Structures are given as structure tokens and as C-alpha cells.
Amino acid sequence: MADEAIVDFQNITTRFGQQIVHQHLNLTVKPREILAIVGGSGTGKTTLLRELLFLNRPAEGNIIAFGESIYQATSQQVMKLRRRMGMMFQSGALFSSLTVLENICFPLRELTSLDEKLIVEIAMLKAGMASFPADAVHKYPAELSGGMIKRAALARAIALDPELLLLDEPTAGLDPEAANSIDELVLALQQALDLTIIMVTHDVDTLWQATDRVAFLGDKKVLACEPMTALVRHSHPLIEAYFGNPRARAAEHSHEETKA
Amino acid sequence: MGTAMLQQLADIAIDNDTIFCHGAWTVSHIAWLSKHAFESLQTISQTDITLDLSHVTHFDLAGACLLNDIASFFKNQNSVVHYRCIDERQDELLSLVTERMQAEPATIPLPQFLVRLGMKTHKAWLQMLVFLSFFGQMVQSLSMWFRFPKRIRWQEVIHQIEITGYQAMGIVALLSFLIGVVLAYQMGTQLQSYGAGIYVVDLLGLSLLREFSPLLTAIIVAGRTGAAFAAQLGTMKLNEEIDALQTLGVDATEVLVLPKLLGLIIALPLLTVLAMVAGVFGGMLMSKLMLGITFVDFLDRFSSSVSAQTLFLGELKTPFFAVLIALIGCFQGFQVSQGAASVGSRTTMSVVQCIFMIITTDAVFSVIYSMLGI
Ligand SMILES: Nc1ncnc2c1ncn2[C@@H]1O[C@H](COP(=O)(O)OP(=O)(O)O)[C@@H](O)[C@H]1O
Ligand SMILES: [Mg+2]
């Protein structure tokens, strides 16, 4: 049971018009791991997450989530499956007409009938776990900085205690310190809540610090899905190019130093 | 899998100083308990409480939150709380709750009625000033265009004429035609009873050319184009596109507002002519069907009784309407601040204000015309 896949992308082919984004792509996610998806821009990382959430549908292939084939599920089952997942969108996607606290309360209010006081308490707890400062919860998204938006979005994504958390570029556009604290947050959340996390990222530091395995997207499929230490030794030219540049090397060195 | 279905609702059972928790203490199973737990806790009078978790099947952060609430309920009464049979993970979650829980900061209470009224008035006054400065900025940009006509973006102006004029032709013609039909029918039945059916031509001509066509066209365009201006500029504002334009050293008013203004000043009078033609045609058709006035008779009477001045007086109003629509629509668009809801409310406001101002201006024109005796 422990080794059974929590999510299984089987033979996914995705097309937008003439453009083929994925072709016979396979990827398995194990329970309680932090899996990162990397690859150049436009290789279809976001699209892959959207397919898992039912927002896009691949032309061919199947996705198994929590042991159920999501394309054979009834719409009620789909709602149930979605409730077990939390998604943090690339740009935050906070509701602009609600305050941060209302944003985090929203899924709790809509999908449970908990006591109002408890809802606010849970929302404040999730804000705290996402390191969102308590004195800013009554602000509107337009009044927040980029880092705060990411934290608020993260808090909303974990509002319902999801079993599977999907993060789309959680550290993109943040300063190194904020990015670092998001990394720590992801690790802490995973340990505290026994989550499975799938995370799209370009941040090599994040890859070293916060992931169990890394799936490399290229040539319309997953070229490799291995722990970071193995992936950087991989001989595929795309992967070599990705991790062979000075920035990636620097991240690797700093990671080795902190370990030593 | 499928365990989610088999979970039992969370509940508590009270035995003297011990509270037995059972069922699934998870976000989807504690709703009932969260509302009713505290009633039954009131009955406990002991000061040494034990919370027994041996029958808790599932436990998550929401459950930990509720458990923490129950514990604090007793701690606030100076009771001592012990946990029994709490496993490692439950303990971890519980301590996570106590560590990470933040108090909700107090919201600022709504001020008193008079204070609110004062704040609203002040806000309206500020809006007025902002509108005046917007107007001034536009006049300034416009004067640039007059001094350097080469700067006029004709391509954009023509594009605006296409969107606001050409594409509105169908709806304007259809609605005007129907108004013509309705007017002819209403007036025709009255006039016929006096045997004065032919006068329908005079009435139709005067009312359509002087009042109805300019007014109706302006109102249609306000709903169609004014709203579109507000929504487009508002979304651009949210997207920081307008900030980007200004940062590039481009005058946002000149690029975004003036072509719309100029386009509409050209398009609205033309649309109004179309509305007049369609309206008169509708009236003519109805007159023939109902009163038996032939097209030849109708047009004969029309040319002798409706002067060119009537047409001119009607058309004179339309550039003013055009300016109002473009100004209010664009102004409201620029006023969008945070969020999608603001785009919606500003768009609504632009249509309401446009129509209000159009009708007011029309009334002013009527007063002026009557003072001049025309
Ligand atoms: N709704 C869409 N319509 C057309 N093409 C799309 C759509 N969404 C994504 N694409 C294309 O699919 C490719 C993958 O997009 P995406 O998954 O967003 O990439 P990334 O890996 O950078 O997240 C891109 O080339 C993009 O242009
Ligand atoms: Mg993306």
C-alpha cells in the first residue's frame, strides 16, 4: 500500500491545435514524496498540473489519482477528488474582491459547514503555517507584495487539509530570502501534514533543498525522474544543458557545502 | 482507498471528568461537533479534565484546531487538561496548532452615520476634482493634436469608428425602425379619429429628427460603447498596462482616450442619421398599412413640412452626447483600482452616469431651443 502510486500519468498526449505539448508521457508520484517537475519554459509543466485538476483534458492517455481513473469518474467523484487536492496557481489567483482572510476562509465556508468561529481559527492557523503575517489578513490582494501573495495562495491551498498539494512555481519572482523561506515552509508542511507535493519550479536551490525526486520534462515527455543527486549526473543533452550552467553549478556547490 | 466514505462523524461522550472523543476528527467530519460540542461542555463542573483520544480514527489540523478549542475552553476556566491515549502524530499536530495559531486582528468598526455621510461627501468631492483634472488633461492633449495635426492617430480613430459606429449600425437601425413603427401607430390612431391622418408625417418627422433619434442612439451607444470603454481601460489599469504606457513616456490620455473621443464624435452623428432614416422608414411603413398613406404622399408631405433646420437641431446635440459618453466611459475606466469587482462597478457606473447626463443635456438643449424660439 505504501508504495502504491498516489498519482499516475499514463501515456498522456496533449495537443493545442497543431502544437503537441506532451507525447506518450508517463509519470508516477509516490505517496508522501515531494516531486518537482522541471523543464524549459513552455514544456507543458503547468498544463500537466491543470490536467490533473481537470482544467484541461489530454487528447489521449489516462490519469489515476488516489486509485481512481479521473476520466472515468462521475462529476460528483471529480468534486471529491478535487477536494483532496490543493492547488497554488502560478500567479496566486487570489480572489481580488475578498480579503486574504476571506480568501482562505472561502473553501472552508463553501465546502464544509463548520462553525464560523472555527473556520476563522483554521484560516488563521493556515495563514500562520504559511508564514503570512497576522496583521495583514484584512488586506486585499491588490495591496500585497509578490511574496505575500504567494504565502496567501499557499495558505488557501492548504485550507482544507489536502492530501496532495500542487504548487506552480512557488518561488518564482521572489527574493532569495523569501524563496528560501518558502522552501522551508514546503518541507515543514510536508512533514507536519504528511502531504504529497508536486511542485513546478525553475529554482535550482529549491530543487536541491526541498525535493525527493525531480522529473525532467523535455522532448514532450519525462526524460528522467530521479533524485537530484542522480539527475545532475544524467547524460541526456537537455538535462546536461539545464544543470551544466554556472548558476546551477553554484547551487550544487552551496548545497554540498551546507551538507558537509 | 475509499476509507473516506467509511469515516464516522466526530463526536464526544462525557463521563464525569473524562471526555471520550471518537470518530474522524477531520475537516469534513467535525462540522456538527464544532457547533454543538460547547453546549454539552457547559455541564462539566470538575476542574481536572481528561481528554481521551483512544477512539479517534482520523485526525487532521482542523480536528486539532477543534480539540485545541475544547482544551482552551477548560483552561480559561482555570481547569487542568490532560490528554490520554494521544499518539505521536496527533500530538505533533496539536502542538503545531498551539505554535502557529495567530489571533485574528480586530477589524475597524463601521463609523457612525454622520461620519460615514461626511466621508462619502468628501469622497464625492474628491471624485469631482479628479474628474476635472482628467478633463483638463484631455483638453491639454487635445490641444496638442490641434497644434500638431500630424500626431493624430488616424488609424486608431478609424478603428474606433468601426467598432463604435459601423458595428452598431444593425442594432441602431433595428431599434429606430421599431420606434418609428410604434410612434406612427400611437399617433396615427389618435389623428385618424380627427380625420387628420396625414399630420402623422409632421409629428413623426419633428419628434424623430429633433428628439427621439439623437436620444435613442446616444443611449444605445452609451450602453454599448461607454461600458466597453470603462471595462477595457479598467482591465488595462488592473494589468498595470496604463502604468507601463506612462513609464514609456507615452501620454496615456492621448493614446487611449483621444482616439475614442474623436472616433465617437464622428461616428455618433452618422449613426443618428441612420437612426432617423430607419425611424422615418418605420413610420412610413406603418402609415401605409394603417392609414393608407402612400409612400409618395408621405415623402411629399415630409419634404414640405419638415425643414432642414429640424434635422440640424437634432444633429447639433449629438457631438455633445459623444463627448459625454467617451469622457465618462474612459474616466470610469481609469478610476478602477483593485480587483475585478471594481471593473464591474465602474462599468455599471459609467452607463448610469452616461444615460443620466445624456438626458439632462437633452433637457438643457430643449430649454435653450425654446428660449431661442426655434
Ligand atoms: N489554453 C492554451 N491554448 C493554447 N496553447 C496553450 C494553452 N495553454 C498552454 N498552451 C501552450 O502549451 C505549452 C505549454 O504551456 P505551459 O504548460 O504553460 O508551459 P510551462 O511549462 O511553462 O508551464 C506552451 O507552448 C503554451 O503556448
Ligand atoms: Mg507555467
Side-chain angles (χ1 to χ4, degrees):
Chain A
M1 187 82 181
D3 274 31
E4 192 178 301
I6 191 166
V7 175
D8 199 5
F9 295 91
Q10 296 173 341
N11 229 358
I12 299 290
T13 299
T14 310
R15 288 190 209 99
F16 290 110
Q18 293 292 313
Q19 180 191 9
I20 296 175
V21 179
H22 307 128
Q23 197 162 32
H24 305 304
L25 176 147
N26 288 292
L27 179 62
T28 306
V29 186
K30 298 179 201 156
R32 301 198 172 79
E33 73 170 339
I34 303 185
L35 176 87
I37 302 177
V38 299
S41 302
T43 45
K45 306 180 292 296
T46 301
T47 307
L48 206 57
L49 295 190
R50 291 175 61 86
E51 282 169 356
L52 177 56
L53 284 163
F54 248 79
L55 298 171
N56 284 28
R57 197 175 174 152
E60 284 165 38
N62 195 9
I63 299 178
I64 313 262
F66 304 110
E68 289 179 54
S69 161
I70 66 173
Y71 295 115
Q72 277 148 28
T74 62
S75 60
Q76 251 180 346
Q77 283 172 314
V78 169
M79 295 297 278
K80 278 221 178 86
L81 284 176
R82 276 181 168 167
R83 272 184 66 160
R84 299 169 74 177
M85 307 184 207
M87 168 79 170
M88 172 184 167
F89 287 90
Q90 207 163 351
S91 57
L94 295 174
F95 305 122
S96 60
S97 55
L98 302 179
T99 64
V100 170
L101 184 60
E102 288 166 343
N103 259 288
I104 308 174
C105 288
F106 186 82
L108 292 161
R109 291 212 176 103
E110 290 300 310
L111 298 174
T112 71
S113 47
L114 295 180
D115 187 54
E116 180 58 29
K117 180 171 156 278
L118 188 64
I119 286 182
V120 174
E121 258 178 32
I122 294 176
M124 288 303 296
L125 171 68
K126 298 296 159 79
M129 292 179 64
S131 302
F132 189 90
D135 51 12
V137 293
H138 291 306
K139 288 194 173 178
Y140 286 91
E143 302 165 342
L144 299 179
S145 70
M148 301 242 277
I149 287 179
K150 299 258 174 184
R151 283 162 204 272
L154 186 57
R156 188 181 69 182
I158 57 173
L160 280 175
D161 282 306
E163 296 160 55
L164 174 63
L165 184 60
L166 311 177
L167 308 173
D168 198 352
E169 306 208 8
T171 58
L174 295 186
D175 62 87
E177 200 188 332
N180 219 3
S181 80
I182 292 260
D183 288 349
E184 282 165 13
L185 206 67
V186 167
L187 276 174
L189 281 177
Q190 197 273 341
Q191 273 157 17
L193 305 180
D194 270 349
L195 287 175
T196 310
I197 298 180
I198 306 178
M199 156 162 87
V200 171
T201 185
H202 286 298
D203 191 328
V204 195
D205 288 313
T206 306
L207 292 178
W208 279 109
Q209 281 170 23
T211 61
D212 296 321
R213 285 192 311 152
V214 178
F216 193 99
L217 247 63
D219 280 344
K220 302 173 185 141
K221 48 171 87 72
V222 175
L223 293 177
C225 185
E226 290 165 0
M228 201 52 191
T229 39
L231 191 69
V232 287
R233 312 270 171 266
H234 205 282
S235 62
H236 193 282
L238 278 175
I239 303 181
E240 272 185 347
Y242 195 96
F243 293 111
N245 63 62
R247 286 166 63 105
R249 288 236 184 272
E252 182 177 350
H253 285 309
S254 75
H255 177 73
E256 275 162 6
E257 272 162 33
T258 46
K259 260 176 67 178
Chain B
M1 290 292 143
T3 43
M5 320 287 165
L6 302 173
Q7 295 176 17
Q8 281 190 335
L9 290 187
D11 202 356
I12 50 174
I14 299 170
D15 177 23
N16 279 327
D17 61 350
T18 308
I19 300 171
F20 292 95
C21 309
H22 38 102
W25 284 56
T26 60
V27 66
S28 39
H29 291 81
I30 56 171
W32 183 85
L33 189 61
S34 72
K35 286 178 181 150
H36 298 94
F38 294 93
E39 295 161 17
S40 44
L41 295 183
Q42 305 279 4
T43 59
I44 301 178
S45 54
Q46 281 85 352
T47 55
D48 195 325
I49 310 290
T50 305
L51 287 166
D52 183 303
L53 301 188
S54 50
H55 298 294
V56 171
T57 53
H58 298 79
F59 198 71
D60 69 2
L61 267 178
C65 246
L66 182 60
L67 193 64
N68 185 49
D69 275 0
I70 293 176
S72 352
F73 173 82
F74 290 114
K75 283 178 188 156
N76 287 341
Q77 299 176 341
N78 294 320
S79 308
V80 186
V81 179
H82 307 281
Y83 294 100
R84 191 161 69 201
C85 300
I86 183 165
D87 69 27
E88 206 176 315
R89 197 179 112 78
Q90 291 165 344
D91 194 37
E92 253 171 45
L93 289 182
L94 205 57
S95 50
L96 196 73
V97 170
T98 40
E99 266 167 47
R100 290 292 189 144
M101 176 65 77
Q102 321 179 31
E104 186 197 354
T107 42
I108 304 155
L110 210 61
Q112 303 252 297
F113 172 72
L114 271 183
V115 180
R116 283 208 311 268
L117 185 72
M119 278 173 17
K120 274 218 155 127
T121 316
H122 181 65
K123 218 169 148 189
W125 170 245
L126 285 184
Q127 275 275 295
M128 174 80 195
L129 291 184
V130 175
F131 181 76
L132 281 181
S133 88
F134 173 75
F135 187 72
Q137 206 175 4
M138 223 198 45
V139 172
Q140 199 187 13
S141 307
L142 201 61
S143 72
M144 283 294 276
W145 273 18
F146 277 117
R147 265 190 294 163
F148 308 103
K150 275 221 176 101
R151 289 181 64 148
I152 301 182
R153 296 154 193 271
W154 283 113
Q155 200 176 351
E156 182 60 24
V157 172
I158 288 168
H159 180 60
Q160 288 298 333
I161 294 176
E162 181 187 345
I163 304 176
T164 61
Y166 177 72
Q167 289 179 6
M169 278 171 70
I171 181 90
V172 167
L174 177 67
L175 291 183
S176 302
F177 172 81
L178 292 178
I179 289 287
V181 168
V182 172
L183 277 182
Y185 174 71
Q186 294 295 346
M187 298 194 287
T189 38
Q190 301 298 322
L191 290 171
Q192 203 173 22
S193 58
Y194 296 106
I198 190 69
Y199 284 103
V200 78
V201 181
D202 304 46
L203 281 176
L204 262 181
L206 274 178
S207 59
L208 277 177
L209 264 55
R210 252 180 90 150
E211 285 298 331
F212 284 121
S213 296
L215 199 61
L216 186 75
T217 314
I219 288 176
I220 295 171
V221 171
R224 214 183 150 270
T225 306
F229 287 172
Q232 186 207 337
L233 293 185
T235 312
M236 285 180 77
K237 178 100 191 279
L238 281 189
N239 244 341
E240 297 180 319
E241 287 175 52
I242 291 176
D243 296 341
L245 269 178
Q246 259 151 359
T247 318
L248 291 171
V250 177
D251 179 2
T253 350
E254 186 187 330
V255 178
L256 296 174
V257 182
L258 288 191
K260 294 186 169 55
L261 181 75
L262 197 58
L264 203 56
I265 289 180
I266 297 171
L268 192 63
L270 296 176
L271 272 183
T272 306
V273 173
L274 174 72
M276 290 169 177
V277 173
V280 170
F281 178 67
M284 197 158 81
L285 206 65
M286 200 61 198
S287 305
K288 171 149 194 226
L289 293 178
M290 200 176 67
L291 306 171
I293 303 173
T294 63
F295 286 175
V296 174
D297 287 345
F298 188 101
L299 290 176
D300 209 31
R301 174 85 197 166
F302 193 88
S303 60
S304 64
S305 67
V306 182
S307 63
Q309 194 197 32
T310 315
L311 174 77
F312 175 73
L313 289 180
E315 279 290 333
L316 186 64
K317 299 187 250 185
T318 56
F320 291 88
F321 293 159
V323 172
L324 281 176
I325 295 168
L327 271 191
I328 294 175
C330 293
F331 174 70
Q332 292 295 353
F334 277 120
Q335 287 313 104
V336 166
S337 51
Q338 34 182 264
S342 158
V343 177
S345 74
R346 288 291 172 179
T347 307
T348 311
M349 233 187 271
S350 79
V351 177
V352 173
Q353 287 182 354
C354 277
I355 293 177
F356 177 84
M357 287 306 294
I358 286 168
I359 294 180
T360 314
T361 313
D362 192 57
V364 171
F365 267 104
S366 295
V367 172
I368 295 175
Y369 286 171
S370 74
M371 282 199 317
L372 295 176
I374 44 181

